[in-house]
């Protein structure tokens, strides 16, 4: 199949309209479909990235596909999540990943080098390219004008094997920025403002494309902060044009030759517009336990803080650490608070050591952590019981910090640093004069912790530790699903609810039988045993089911426990794709009110013979009622489901 031409016409003036930036890049990569919103498209993927927590599974799947070498222009394997080594599991996984990278022609970023998104932005992301990453914050690459999308590990494995990536053509929202940011207000406040306006479901099936005169005042790392956390709005991705600012950044990274200008046409027609005057923004904060729960810092000022964490892929750039260091210069953090700093990359650390700014952080009392995700994913530094933890991160879901009773608030580095001095949430504008920071004209480049692919390494032996278990195999889909509702949940269930992370569970990412014991651990720890006992069954949920991370373990582990279908009001994009990839049928209520007609424990029967028609009938045997369900599955997705998941589907395709 090829694609036909799609043009947007201004109906009033009967004029063919120009293209958005997103349309231009997608059009260049279209393998199937058109730019018609909501239609099924397939795009070519130029680059991939994986991180260690999703990477082991992605590469086990890549191995199972049976290709000799990656087919992309560039694939990078990062190690940044599972860096706490409390036993052999994580280091074994690192060795596995390194041997896979060598064998299949993948760049390998060694543990300690930094956080995948920060590193990818610094060293690899390119304007006009497509990037698929097995991490939901892959859109950070949108900071340099790359279409960067988060996906499950299996989709990334398939892209490495040369398969195109399938999605629904998103709507394109013009986030039109004017003015420039006032002192003590930064890029984090811009994305918090977007979240304040549209919430955690507001940009599902949409791309947030930033335009307007205001973008000129934002550097690439600042743009990266905004596109990174755009994920929390449910957006497919977020993107900035590739302009003079992008050029400057790439030149400073000694990558000037990779710059190409890509701007939207002046008469580009957008599906929607959001206008933000940067000059009117104030410091903002997300309250527990949702990034969409945004208030002004003023509204919560004075709340005592026990822990302050600066870092994560959202706010760990050189700019962020410099501003934090200069605010903390000559000060001591409050005696009741602990401050942690996790830099985004060694480049950032090299700079702040050379400039002396690292000393300001250390002298103020900051605990300097590894260049890794760290406390963002509960990998160490869990806060104390009932703690208030103030973080420059992008997620504050219940329990994610490692302490269930902790209350996590999300803020900018400016708000975090000033609050650390006072020991309470403080509007940073009260600090007085904003310290001046000087950004380098050229970044310090040292790629010695990135091992490039070598020729002739195909015979490299793959090293597998005892915790790396073979992939479970799943059967083709039957015509009828029967079983019990194992769990009924509310709206906005995150993948952190379904498959928690943290220092104890993350090391089990390459061991499905073991990790499945923690499915829904924070919601109902009896779920795994009940599910196995009943021979599997169903989950019923509300809106935005599966928001948050790209972890496909939130699908594979429940599938391993026997989950057959998830019936909800609506899904988050990546989780929906992951369910399909592992043969769990994702269904939605044709009438949302029918959510009340099913209870936990009800026995259900679902007839799948009509799946192709777009609707199926659910028979609630306990209540003797029939409910109409529908779905958004494409023909290919139905075929994947029927084959028992994407891996058997691809294998079948390759064997034909
Ligand atoms: C996250 O921020 O939740 C993670 C950990 O980076 C995940 C990936 C994972 O679960 O490994 C993500 O955002 O996709
Ligand atoms: Fe790592 Fe946190 Fe970023 Fe996820 S959100 S990639 S855990 S720093």
């Amino acid at each position: 199949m090829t694609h036909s031409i799609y043009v947007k016409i201004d109906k009033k003036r009967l004029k063919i309209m120009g293209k958005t930036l997103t349309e231009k890049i997608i059009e260049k990569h279209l393998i199937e479909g058109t730019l018609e919103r909501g239609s099924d498209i397939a795009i070519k993927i130029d680059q991939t990235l994986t991180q260690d927590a999703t990477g082991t599974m992605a590469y086990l799947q890549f191995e199972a596909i049976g290709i000799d070498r990656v087919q992309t222009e560039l694939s990078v394997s990062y190690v940044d999540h599972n860096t706490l080594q409390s036993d052999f599991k994580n280091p074994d996984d690192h060795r596995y990943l390194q041997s896979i990278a060598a064998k299949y022609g993948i760049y390998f970023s060694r543990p300690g080098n930094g956080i995948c998104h920060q590193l990818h932005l610094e060293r690899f992301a390119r304007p006009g390219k497509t990037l698929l990453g097995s991490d939901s914050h892959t859109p950070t690459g949108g900071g340099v004008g790359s279409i960067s999308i988060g996906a499950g590990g299996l989709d990334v494995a398939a892209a490495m094997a040369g398969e195109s990536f399938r999605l629904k053509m998103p709507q394109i929202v013009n986030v039109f920025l004017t003015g420039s940011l006032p002192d003590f207000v930064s890029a984090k406040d811009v994305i918090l403002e977007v979240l304040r306006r549209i919430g955690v479901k507001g940009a599902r099936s949409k791309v947030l494309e930033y335009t307007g005169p205001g973008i000129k005042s934002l550097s690439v790392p600042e743009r990266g902060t905004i596109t990174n956390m755009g994920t929390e709005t449910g957006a497919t991705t977020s993107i900035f044009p590739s302009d003079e600012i992008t050029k400057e950044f790439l030149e400073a990274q000694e990558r000037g030759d990779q710059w190409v200008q890509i701007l939207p046409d002046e008469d580009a027609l957008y599906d929607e517009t959001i206008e933000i005057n940067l000059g009117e923004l104030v410091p903002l904060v997300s309250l527990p336990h949702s990034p969409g729960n945004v208030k002004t810092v003023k509204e919560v000022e004075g709340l005592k803080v026990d822990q302050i964490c600066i870092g994560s892929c959202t706010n760990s750039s050189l700019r962020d650490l410099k501003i934090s260091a200069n605010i903390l210069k000559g000060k001591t953090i409050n005696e009741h608070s602990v401050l942690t700093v996790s830099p985004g990359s060694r480049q950032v650390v090299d700079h702040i050591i050379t400039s002396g700014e690292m000393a300001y952080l250390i002298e103020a009392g900051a605990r300097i952590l590894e260049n890794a995700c760290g406390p963002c994913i509960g990998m160490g530094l869990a806060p104390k019981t009932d703690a208030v933890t103030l973080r420059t991160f992008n997620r504050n879901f219940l329990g994610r910090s490692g302490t269930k009773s902790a209350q996590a608030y999300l803020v900018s580095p400016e708000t975090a640093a000033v609050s650390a001095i006072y020991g309470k949430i403080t509007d940073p504008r009260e600090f007085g004069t904003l310290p001046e920071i000087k950004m380098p004209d050229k970044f310090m480049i040292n790629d010695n912790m990135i091992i490039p692919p070598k020729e002739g390494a195909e015979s490299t032996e793959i090293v597998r530790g005892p915790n790396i278990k073979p992939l479970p195999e799943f059967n083709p889909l039957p015509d009828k699903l029967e079983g019990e509702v194992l769990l009924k949940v509310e709206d906005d269930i995150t993948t952190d609810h379904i498959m928690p992370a943290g220092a104890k569970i993350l090391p089990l990412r390459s061991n499905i039988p073991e990790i499945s014991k923690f499915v829904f651990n924070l919601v109902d720890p009896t779920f795994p045993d009940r599910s196995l006992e009943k021979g599997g069954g169903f989950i019923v949920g509300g809106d935005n089911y599966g928001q948050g991370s790209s972890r496909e373990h939130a699908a594979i582990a429940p599938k391993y426990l026997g989950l057959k279908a998830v019936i909800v009001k609506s899904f988050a994009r990546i989780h929906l794709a992951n369910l399909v990839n592992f043969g769990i049928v994702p269904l939605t209520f044709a009438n949302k009110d029918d959510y009340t007609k099913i209870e936990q424990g009800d026995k259900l029967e679902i007839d799948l013979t009509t799946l192709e028609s777009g609707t199926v009938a659910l028979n609630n045997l306990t209540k003797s009622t029939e409910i109409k369900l529908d779905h958004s599955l494409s023909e290919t997705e139905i075929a994947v489901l029927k084959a028992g998941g994407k891996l058997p589907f691809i294998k079948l395709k390759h064997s034909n």
Side-chain angles (χ1 to χ4, degrees):
M1 229 195 294
T2 49
H3 59 278
S4 51
I5 292 168
Y6 171 83
V7 282
K8 269 211 128 180
I9 296 180
D10 179 336
K11 292 210 176 94
K12 268 194 220 135
R13 290 181 289 161
L14 279 179
K15 178 175 174 274
I16 295 181
M17 300 305 290
K19 294 216 158 66
T20 66
L21 169 68
T22 309
E23 286 175 319
K24 287 185 182 180
I25 304 177
I26 290 190
E27 191 165 53
K28 272 218 159 103
H29 290 82
L30 264 186
I31 306 274
E32 270 179 40
T34 70
L35 298 177
E36 191 183 342
R37 310 301 190 251
S39 63
D40 293 311
I41 59 170
I43 55 169
K44 177 182 175 295
I45 296 299
D46 303 320
Q47 303 189 338
T48 63
L49 73 77
T50 56
Q51 40 88 341
D52 49 341
T54 54
T56 47
M57 200 44 67
Y59 293 113
L60 284 169
Q61 292 165 151
F62 180 76
E63 284 187 274
I65 297 173
I67 301 270
D68 295 341
R69 211 160 169 85
V70 287
Q71 305 292 304
T72 45
E73 288 173 16
L74 172 105
S75 288
V76 193
S77 170
Y78 295 95
V79 178
D80 53 3
H81 283 63
N82 287 353
T83 53
L84 208 71
Q85 296 172 202
S86 47
D87 66 14
F88 62 90
K89 296 189 194 75
N90 289 341
D92 278 3
D93 282 358
H94 303 167
R95 294 312 293 181
Y96 167 73
L97 293 171
Q98 186 167 348
S99 60
I100 286 278
K103 188 177 174 75
Y104 294 108
I106 299 160
Y107 284 82
F108 182 70
S109 168
R110 296 164 69 180
N113 196 34
I115 305 174
C116 57
H117 308 302
Q118 170 70 21
L119 286 168
H120 206 82
L121 192 68
E122 287 174 2
R123 306 304 305 139
F124 295 113
R126 290 176 69 156
K129 297 285 180 189
T130 52
L131 164 70
L132 195 70
S134 62
D135 191 283
S136 64
H137 292 106
T138 303
T140 315
V144 292
S146 136
I147 288 280
S148 303
I149 303 180
L154 182 47
D155 282 326
V156 177
M160 287 189 283
E163 297 271 326
S164 52
F165 177 63
R166 292 178 175 277
L167 73 161
K168 297 227 180 291
M169 177 64 202
Q171 297 204 338
I172 302 163
V173 181
N174 181 6
V175 188
F176 189 80
L177 305 182
T178 56
S180 59
L181 290 166
D183 284 356
F184 290 103
V185 180
S186 61
K188 180 62 152 285
D189 299 304
V190 178
I191 188 59
L192 290 178
E193 172 67 12
V194 174
L195 272 156
R196 190 182 72 75
R197 295 204 197 173
I198 67 174
V200 292
K201 311 189 242 302
R204 282 183 304 167
S205 311
K206 295 176 185 173
V207 172
L208 298 177
E209 184 172 312
Y210 289 82
T211 71
I215 63 170
K216 289 271 171 280
S217 65
L218 297 168
S219 67
V220 164
E222 290 171 292
R223 294 173 178 188
T225 293
I226 295 170
T227 57
N228 169 289
M229 202 171 169
T231 297
E232 270 51 64
T233 64
T236 304
T237 191
S238 304
I239 190 166
F240 275 81
S242 171
D243 56 8
E244 285 301 312
I245 310 275
T246 324
K247 184 170 182 230
E248 242 170 64
F249 174 79
L250 289 174
E251 279 170 353
Q253 290 285 358
E254 286 179 13
R255 299 203 285 129
D257 57 324
Q258 297 177 2
W259 181 72
V260 280
Q261 176 166 286
I262 315 180
L263 310 173
D265 289 334
E266 266 176 28
D267 61 345
L269 195 62
Y270 289 89
D271 297 292
E272 224 179 282
T273 300
I274 298 176
E275 274 189 50
I276 299 179
N277 180 346
L278 298 176
E280 286 173 359
L281 294 185
V282 297
L284 295 172
V285 50
S286 294
L287 271 43
H289 297 285
S290 169
N293 208 353
V294 181
K295 295 268 184 290
T296 63
V297 171
K298 271 264 169 288
E299 284 174 272
V300 287
E301 214 173 18
L303 185 68
K304 193 167 164 269
V305 284
D306 303 288
Q307 185 191 50
I308 300 100
C309 303
I310 296 176
S312 95
C313 55
T314 322
N315 278 125
S316 60
S317 70
L318 182 56
R319 184 248 161 231
D320 292 332
L321 263 61
K322 268 181 177 280
I323 193 73
S324 307
N326 284 285
I327 287 173
L328 288 161
K329 183 180 177 186
K331 307 271 196 271
T332 302
I333 55 170
N334 186 276
E335 64 183 275
H336 300 294
S337 310
V338 173
L339 170 67
T340 73
V341 176
S342 358
S345 70
R346 276 185 329 130
Q347 184 181 78
V348 170
V349 175
D350 273 352
H351 275 282
I352 57 172
I353 287 179
T354 311
S355 65
E357 286 159 314
M358 180 66 113
Y360 308 160
L361 292 170
I362 294 174
E363 283 162 14
R367 294 170 67 177
I368 308 294
L369 307 179
E370 222 184 336
N371 314 327
C373 302
C376 176
I377 194 60
M379 215 8 119
L381 264 299
K384 71 179 176 77
T385 309
D386 298 333
V388 169
T389 172
L390 198 63
R391 317 181 134 209
T392 66
F393 306 166
N394 47 34
R395 288 187 176 146
N396 56 349
F397 301 145
L398 178 76
R400 184 174 161 102
S401 64
T403 304
K404 193 173 174 187
S405 66
Q407 307 285 313
Y409 293 72
L410 308 174
V411 293
S412 69
E414 288 81 349
T415 304
V418 172
S419 301
I421 298 168
Y422 298 109
K424 53 190 184 182
I425 297 185
T426 310
D427 186 320
R429 293 172 298 183
E430 278 158 35
F431 183 77
T433 314
L434 183 72
E436 245 184 67
I437 57 166
K438 191 171 162 7
M439 290 299 287
D441 296 331
K442 292 269 173 241
F443 288 102
M444 294 162 77
I445 314 288
N446 181 354
D447 288 333
N448 67 344
M449 291 290 277
I450 298 178
I451 305 175
K454 294 184 191 70
E455 285 308 316
E458 293 78 5
S459 57
T460 306
E461 197 195 322
I462 304 297
V463 193
R464 270 174 243 274
N467 184 47
I468 302 183
K469 297 286 182 239
L471 293 173
E473 292 202 5
F474 304 124
N475 297 326
L477 201 65
D479 281 343
K480 194 196 266 176
L481 299 177
E482 288 166 300
E484 205 172 276
V485 177
L486 299 164
L487 192 67
K488 182 169 176 186
V489 288
E490 308 277 313
D491 287 353
D492 295 325
I493 287 295
T494 72
T495 50
D496 279 68
H497 288 112
I498 306 169
M499 187 72 262
K504 186 170 141 203
I505 307 175
L506 273 173
L508 303 172
R509 284 284 180 96
S510 34
N511 186 340
I512 298 299
E514 275 307 307
I515 206 168
S516 68
K517 294 180 183 158
F518 296 93
V519 170
F520 280 114
N521 198 257
L522 289 174
V523 180
D524 177 358
T526 68
F527 180 87
D529 284 345
R530 285 195 297 109
S531 184
L532 286 174
E533 230 169 75
K534 310 248 158 145
F538 304 103
I539 287 171
V540 171
D543 266 318
N544 204 20
Y545 182 85
Q547 71 156 315
S549 103
S550 69
R551 62 190 71 151
E552 58 192 350
H553 300 75
I556 314 175
K559 173 78 182 184
Y560 179 82
L561 298 173
L563 183 63
K564 297 170 186 175
V566 179
I567 306 145
V568 297
K569 292 182 187 169
S570 67
F571 286 99
R573 176 186 64 88
I574 309 181
H575 188 59
L576 171 67
N578 285 336
L579 291 174
V580 174
N581 284 353
F582 296 96
I584 301 171
V585 189
L587 297 165
T588 42
F589 292 102
N591 174 358
K592 285 191 181 188
D593 295 342
D594 287 344
Y595 170 79
T596 55
K597 294 191 183 150
I598 312 182
E599 276 163 65
Q600 191 163 315
D602 283 358
K603 294 221 169 15
L604 312 181
E605 210 178 64
I606 303 174
D607 176 8
L608 294 178
T609 51
T610 60
L611 207 54
E612 274 86 357
S613 73
T615 54
V616 298
L618 176 151
N619 197 351
N620 187 337
L621 302 173
T622 309
K623 303 230 162 22
S624 304
T625 46
E626 206 175 284
I627 293 172
K628 197 171 138 200
L629 303 176
D630 46 28
H631 63 75
S632 59
L633 301 165
S634 66
E635 257 173 55
T636 315
E637 285 172 319
I638 293 176
V640 167
L641 271 176
K642 290 204 161 157
K646 186 159 179 165
L647 203 52
F649 176 78
I650 297 179
K651 282 200 208 156
L652 213 71
K653 209 172 109 182
H654 282 263
S655 66
N656 286 336

